Amino acid sequence: RGRLTDLPAISAAMCDALRDIDNARPYDGYQDEVFTGTGVALVVRPADEWVDYLQAMKGGQASVSYVVEIVVPRANVRASYTKIAELVSAGAGHNRSVIDTLKPNSAPQTLGGVIDDLAVRRASGLLEKQYGAVSYMGVDIDVDILVPRLHS
């Protein structure tokens, strides 16, 4: 038997990897509220076009898309922007950058064997966000994941 697209395992593995980032708290899925304190919340959630099974139905790979929503406190706009810029920079180091943590080099990143590889596509949507009564600044990072759908 082959491995199928295991969506809960993928988002959990992404959260496990993101725990390496200093002062960050990953969340698996949509949240009513997030807690950052003076740190960073990283919300791993499905992208608008979450799963594309077309290639998998032909015996290839399923394409799965997630968003890593970076959320930082908005106490000081300049400091918030600086922190977000570091988190979306490549080359800042695996404990400081979402990009470096998820895709540290050109080798396939399998998240412990859960996926075949991933690509960080873009960071977009720098804006103010509201969780409960607290204001934050945030940005969305689009992550494309390739997963085999092997048949038995």
Side-chain angles (χ1 to χ4, degrees):
R1 289 184 87 160
R3 176 170 54 119
L4 300 177
T5 305
D6 186 345
L7 299 173
I10 293 169
S11 58
M14 287 178 65
C15 285
D16 286 345
L18 292 169
R19 281 186 181 81
D20 287 346
I21 296 175
D22 293 339
N23 207 16
R25 181 179 294 192
Y27 291 88
D28 189 351
Y30 287 97
Q31 305 293 315
D32 291 324
E33 294 186 31
V34 297
F35 174 78
T36 63
T38 58
V40 177
L42 302 170
V43 181
V44 176
R45 60 178 171 78
D48 290 339
E49 295 182 13
W50 188 12
V51 182
D52 180 354
Y53 289 110
L54 183 60
Q55 289 303 316
M57 295 302 150
K58 296 177 184 176
Q61 294 177 309
S63 175
V64 181
S65 297
Y66 281 90
V67 171
V68 177
E69 180 182 357
I70 298 172
V71 181
V72 300
R74 191 194 174 276
N76 175 306
V77 174
R78 182 69 188 155
S80 299
Y81 167 76
T82 300
K83 183 61 179 173
I84 288 171
E86 180 179 55
L87 288 162
V88 300
S89 295
H94 80 278
N95 62 338
R96 296 172 49 200
S97 163
V98 172
I99 306 344
D100 293 344
T101 299
L102 292 178
K103 187 71 175 174
N105 53 46
S106 61
Q109 174 62 8
T110 65
L111 297 176
V114 175
I115 64 172
D116 281 353
D117 200 5
L118 65 80
V120 179
R121 212 169 2 117
R122 79 182 70 141
S124 60
L126 179 63
L127 49 86
E128 187 171 326
K129 296 175 181 269
Q130 200 76 22
Y131 279 98
V134 182
S135 293
Y136 298 92
M137 287 189 71
V139 67
D140 293 342
I141 295 180
D142 298 329
V143 181
D144 290 334
I145 295 169
L146 294 175
V147 184
R149 183 168 188 258
L150 304 176
H151 301 281
S152 50

